[in-house]
Amino acid sequence: MKQNFQIAIDGPASAGKSTIAKIIAAKLKYVYVDTGAMYRAITLAAKRAGIPYQEEKEITNLLPETAIRFEPGTPVQHVFLNNEEVTDEIRSTEITKNVSLVASYASVRQNLVNRQRMIADSQNIIMDGRDIGTTVLPNAQVKIFLVASVLERAQRRLKENIAKGMTSDLKTLQADIEARDYKDSHRKISPLVQAKDAILVDTTGKSIEVVVDEITDIIRKKQ
Ligand code: DC
């Protein structure tokens, strides 16, 4: 049986993965899956249940009763936790600060990786995250590792926050991004690392359109 087409986009926080992946998904009519949103949803589920983020066992017990669902939308995909929309709430400062810890738990990763593979099984897909090319979809036909300088990633976040009416400062954002990069790349299970067969794309100083064209070219050559 012919495998459906899978595109894996990995990279550090705020490198532009979801922005780029969404545009390419719309162009190719592929399904887009933001796996970071799934880790964020589990983190929010723990918060809602009053479970401290350090309690791996209690968070593990929560997994079977935690439904996560996506609905397409522009400019953002809608995320539902147990049928309640949590699209904005999963992007709060508290969830952003604690998601790396929750995402480091083996049980959480195993559960979400299974769900991600199930989604990718039956349709053409573009999936972004940290371990898609290395662990979730090791046979993906296209693997991209998207990076950008820390300063530029913090500047992009600052712009987004200002647009949302949130106050934040560049230095703090830069420190938060560095801390999350460190945790994501140093955890024991499926750390953030470029897959051997992934193509490195540096988005520093490039417009969204330029990056989309660059990646679209890579995809076309593999189709
Ligand atoms: O892409 P994001 O910033 O929304 O991801 C939130 C966190 O989830 C990130 O700090 C690391 C974790 N994550 C992960 O461990 N594996 C993935 N495939 C996606 C995200």
Side-chain angles (χ1 to χ4, degrees):
M1 198 178 76
K2 195 176 174 284
Q3 194 197 326
N4 21 317
F5 207 86
Q6 299 176 337
I7 302 166
I9 303 202
D10 290 300
S14 303
K17 300 185 295 295
S18 63
T19 307
I20 304 291
K22 250 178 282 176
I23 296 171
I24 294 176
K27 271 175 88 165
L28 300 178
K29 299 202 166 46
Y30 278 22
V31 171
Y32 164 60
V33 180
D34 173 359
T35 62
M38 298 172 83
Y39 288 94
R40 286 172 181 272
I42 298 293
T43 308
L44 178 61
K47 178 180 186 241
R48 294 259 177 98
I51 301 172
Y53 303 115
Q54 294 80 356
E55 295 296 334
E56 180 174 358
K57 252 210 170 122
E58 284 189 57
I59 294 178
T60 304
N61 293 337
L62 211 58
L63 292 168
E65 62 198 61
T66 306
I68 304 165
R69 183 168 60 79
F70 294 105
E71 273 181 20
T74 342
V76 291
Q77 202 170 43
H78 301 279
V79 185
F80 292 82
L81 171 64
N82 297 328
N83 279 331
E84 183 197 338
E85 178 156 18
V86 293
T87 311
D88 293 331
E89 218 176 329
I90 58 168
R91 310 272 159 206
S92 71
T93 309
E94 180 179 338
I95 299 301
T96 301
K97 268 203 164 41
N98 291 289
V99 60
S100 285
L101 176 63
V102 173
S104 72
Y105 299 146
S107 55
V108 171
R109 301 207 69 81
Q110 203 175 39
N111 182 286
L112 291 188
V113 167
N114 286 342
R115 297 189 203 200
Q116 290 153 12
R117 285 184 181 148
M118 243 145 52
I119 301 171
D121 206 33
S122 54
Q123 48 201 344
N124 290 333
I125 200 114
I126 178 159
M127 196 174 265
D128 83 46
R130 305 292 189 288
D131 60 341
I132 310 305
T134 53
T135 306
V136 181
L137 306 175
N139 299 321
Q141 291 91 336
V142 175
K143 296 182 187 180
I144 305 289
F145 198 75
L146 208 64
V147 298
S149 73
V150 175
L151 176 63
E152 182 151 329
R153 289 189 280 143
Q155 283 166 334
R156 289 178 192 165
R157 246 316 123 86
L158 185 68
K159 249 192 179 166
E160 282 169 19
N161 287 355
I162 290 170
K164 284 187 212 156
M166 283 162 69
T167 46
S168 42
D169 89 297
L170 188 66
K171 279 241 154 66
T172 312
L173 285 174
Q174 208 169 323
D176 286 350
I177 286 175
E178 278 173 335
R180 207 138 64 89
D181 282 356
Y182 185 87
K183 281 187 217 149
D184 293 343
S185 351
H186 288 80
R187 66 171 175 238
K188 276 206 202 106
I189 308 152
S190 304
L192 169 67
V193 63
Q194 183 178 347
K196 280 199 189 75
D197 49 351
I199 298 168
L200 183 79
V201 175
D202 189 340
T203 71
T204 310
K206 290 181 191 161
S207 68
I208 293 171
E209 293 74 26
V210 166
V211 178
V212 167
D213 285 349
E214 204 174 306
I215 295 178
T216 306
D217 269 358
I218 296 171
I219 296 167
R220 297 257 182 255
K221 283 184 192 137
K222 301 260 186 179
Q223 273 175 329

